[in-house]
Amino acid sequence: MSKVLDRIYALSPVWIQQLGVGAYGWYWARRRLGGVFDETWRAYVDREGWPPDRFHDFVEEQLRVQVLRAYREVAYYRAAFREHGISEELLNRFHLEDLPRLPLLEKSTVRSDPNVLLTKSVAKTPPPAFSTSGTTGTPIRVYLDSKAHQHNIAVREARSFRWAGVSVRDSRSMIGGRLVVPKAQSQPPFWRYNHWEKQVYFSAFHISPANVPDYVSALNRFQPAVMTGYASANFFLARIIDELGYQVHAPRAIITSSERLEPPMRGTLDSVFRTRAYEEYGSIENCAIATECEKGRLHTHPDFGIMEILRPDGQPTAPGELGEIVVTGFANVQQIFIRYRIGDLAAWATAPCPCGRNSLPVIGELVGRQEDTVVGPDGRETVRFHGLFVDLPGVAEGQVVQEALDRLVINVVPTPNFSRVDKETIQARVIARLGSAVSVEIRELAGIPREPNGKFRAVISRVQRRPAARTPHGHPA
Ligand SMILES: [Zn+2]
């Protein structure tokens, strides 16, 4: 929605907002699930059963077509490829093994000129744009025509929703970044219903013990087949429902996105909603996606976009070794992302998944955004902080803020049970991860503010990072 429409929406009474959500929903239902949507998701389902050689050749062909398109139609890539000694002739016989020869694409390049990746055929009249939430720095502008949009939903239908036993056409609940309920509103309802998509959209900004009865009654009324949206918001909702002992509808599945779904969160979601939670990893740039199969592993989808995981020197990581995710997308043929440094960290799995989908490589560990990790005392090592607040019933919400290499602030929203033992446990756990040279201050807060997009940031580091992966002259160093 445009800024003006957003403002009108915020000032309107609830019934007008409901109409607005309805009209918006009608438009989106047509745009998302029409056109090439059906044929595309069926093709994704079909490819899952292909022999490895056939799948490999298909992915290689996608890549060849995309790099050639980039060279011929995007001035930026033509110049960057040439600078790295890549000719059109090489691109014509491009193989998957050649991908590391192409230069990396920096976020700063896309930020400084949002149109830099557009093909010349759409440069003058670009398709509709979306912006990344931009919790750090200028947002990235992502252009998406309806075909690319349908393609993005199609891969999720085939490889995320279908694996979870549901469909994007099923009724669903959503907790996400859209400001469906103005932040200042203190009276229910804290949701809006979109009839066309059978979707109840909840506010991510109003989840609290006082407001949760309204969320529960909407879930019980609309009975969504699948609950979707932010991992943290769905988890906080589940925990309050559990604490207050409400009877709540059980969906067939929960699919969380946009944030890490940590094991304790998963456990709470599964037990409160008497179902199974699945994790989905993606980004608004829509270059690559990872989705969870029935065996609980996170598969990537090279036929949608290739994911590489690189060391700081640009070499690929070994299985189990943490590195930076770099993505090359195929679905968007108007704004082209090739070897894009998306800013997330992950490691490949050390063993194949028992589900047998071996053409879809498995991520063993997903750490998330680099700035969502704490820098180790040597200034480079990334330290994972999941588990810091596990089994601490005195902590309703916890957040780690690294102010300096040797200084951490732990923000805690305490429950009445919060005690000195909890504080000491937190201190001890931080020292176990970072050593005793780090000072730890625990602050008790009434609430931890959400990001402007409603996300909850569990870890924030204000420490400047060392420069990371580069491929000088197109060849890994
Ligand atoms: Zn699997």
Side-chain angles (χ1 to χ4, degrees):
M1 275 190 281
S2 75
K3 285 214 169 95
V4 177
L5 276 177
D6 276 343
R7 212 167 301 146
I8 294 172
Y9 180 91
L11 294 172
S12 303
V14 168
W15 70 271
I16 293 276
Q17 290 180 0
Q18 205 61 267
L19 277 178
V21 168
Y24 191 65
W26 178 78
Y27 168 76
W28 281 108
R30 279 175 44 123
R31 179 173 154 124
R32 289 150 50 106
L33 306 180
V36 300
F37 172 76
D38 274 321
E39 61 187 87
T40 309
W41 80 259
R42 288 200 183 101
Y44 274 99
V45 172
D46 190 40
R47 280 194 295 274
E48 247 179 81
W50 282 7
D53 286 358
R54 189 176 174 201
F55 190 87
H56 171 278
D57 292 350
F58 177 84
V59 173
E60 194 163 74
E61 179 63 18
Q62 300 298 302
L63 178 63
R64 192 179 299 131
V65 168
Q66 190 75 328
V67 295
L68 265 171
R69 182 183 287 126
Y71 184 87
R72 289 173 183 158
E73 297 189 37
V74 184
Y76 164 78
Y77 284 115
R78 176 182 285 257
F81 289 0
R82 280 185 174 167
E83 199 182 306
H84 286 75
I86 310 286
S87 64
E88 186 167 1
E89 196 216 339
L90 170 72
L91 297 174
N92 269 314
R93 48 183 173 79
F94 204 70
H95 295 288
L96 278 169
E97 310 84 83
D98 296 322
L99 184 57
R101 298 176 63 175
L102 300 182
L104 295 171
L105 170 63
E106 305 291 330
K107 274 194 174 172
S108 56
T109 305
V110 194
R111 281 199 178 112
S112 57
D113 178 4
N115 293 357
V116 70
L117 305 180
L118 290 174
T119 57
K120 57 188 176 197
S121 52
V122 298
K124 286 214 174 89
T125 50
F130 300 79
S131 285
T132 58
S133 47
T135 47
T136 50
T138 322
I140 303 285
R141 207 184 292 167
V142 179
Y143 294 98
L144 217 55
D145 72 351
S146 48
K147 216 169 156 181
H149 200 155
Q150 287 149 10
H151 195 136
N152 293 331
I153 310 294
V155 69
R156 297 181 64 208
E157 170 73 350
R159 304 270 175 85
S160 177
F161 281 65
R162 191 177 63 94
W163 287 3
V166 291
S167 160
V168 296
R169 296 188 200 271
D170 285 333
S171 58
R172 67 163 149 157
S173 69
M174 170 74 185
I175 312 179
R178 236 191 279 165
L179 255 184
V180 283
V181 177
K183 276 187 203 171
Q185 182 181 317
S186 59
Q187 294 301 312
F190 301 109
W191 49 267
R192 299 292 179 263
Y193 187 67
N194 164 357
H195 166 77
W196 298 97
E197 293 189 290
K198 291 180 284 184
Q199 185 180 95
V200 55
Y201 204 114
F202 289 107
S203 168
F205 301 94
H206 293 82
I207 298 168
S208 70
N211 296 339
V212 156
D214 180 57
Y215 286 72
V216 172
S217 73
L219 284 170
N220 290 345
R221 175 176 161 193
F222 296 110
Q223 312 222 337
V226 52
M227 293 173 68
T228 62
Y230 292 164
S232 65
N234 276 294
F235 163 70
F236 289 134
L237 177 63
R239 202 176 47 191
I240 297 172
I241 290 173
D242 191 34
E243 280 164 8
L244 300 180
Y246 286 108
Q247 289 298 314
V248 69
H249 162 73
R252 295 202 328 257
I254 299 172
I255 302 174
T256 68
S257 52
S258 305
E259 299 164 317
R260 285 307 327 284
L261 179 62
E262 306 290 357
M265 300 164 79
R266 190 188 286 273
T268 302
L269 286 173
D270 290 359
S271 76
V272 170
F273 292 107
R274 304 175 308 286
T275 188
R276 172 150 169 212
Y278 293 79
E279 183 171 15
E280 191 182 73
Y281 165 80
S283 75
I284 199 161
E285 290 92 342
N286 288 302
C287 300
I289 186 171
T291 64
E292 190 178 326
C293 74
E294 66 281 359
K295 301 289 182 193
R297 314 288 167 92
L298 205 54
H299 288 268
T300 59
H301 304 275
D303 49 346
F304 177 74
I306 295 176
M307 208 181 273
E308 299 170 80
I309 304 181
L310 303 181
R311 292 178 180 157
D313 67 2
Q315 293 281 4
T317 56
E321 180 186 357
L322 200 64
E324 182 187 338
I325 299 178
V326 168
V327 293
T328 299
F330 302 142
N332 196 339
V333 296
Q334 296 179 324
Q335 184 187 26
I336 296 179
F337 289 87
I338 291 175
R339 302 202 82 209
Y340 176 57
R341 296 182 62 191
I342 203 155
D344 287 334
L345 302 172
W348 292 117
T350 49
C353 179
C355 80
R357 297 178 181 98
N358 293 332
S359 292
L360 310 179
V362 176
I363 291 180
E365 185 183 7
L366 183 63
V367 172
R369 294 190 313 175
Q370 198 168 36
E371 63 264 31
D372 291 346
T373 63
V374 164
V375 185
D378 73 347
R380 210 179 89 177
E381 189 199 343
T382 289
V383 181
R384 280 82 117 192
F385 262 78
H386 50 74
L388 190 65
F389 304 108
V390 168
D391 294 328
L392 293 179
V395 178
E397 290 180 11
Q399 180 183 53
V400 179
V401 184
Q402 183 174 36
E403 299 285 356
L405 266 184
D406 59 354
R407 205 170 99 73
L408 249 63
V409 171
I410 311 284
N411 291 322
V412 165
V413 178
T415 70
N417 300 327
F418 190 65
S419 69
R420 234 178 68 169
V421 179
D422 291 330
K423 279 191 180 179
E424 285 164 5
T425 307
I426 293 170
Q427 297 258 11
R429 286 177 180 176
V430 171
I431 288 167
R433 286 162 170 84
L434 288 176
S436 54
V438 173
S439 78
V440 184
E441 182 194 341
I442 298 177
R443 288 186 192 155
E444 296 179 40
L445 305 177
I448 292 171
R450 302 297 186 255
E451 298 292 306
N453 57 15
K455 285 189 198 174
F456 177 81
R457 285 181 74 187
V459 179
I460 297 170
S461 180
R462 306 198 199 284
V463 174
Q464 199 64 34
R465 303 287 159 146
R466 286 189 188 174
R470 301 255 161 213
T471 40
H473 312 298
H475 298 282

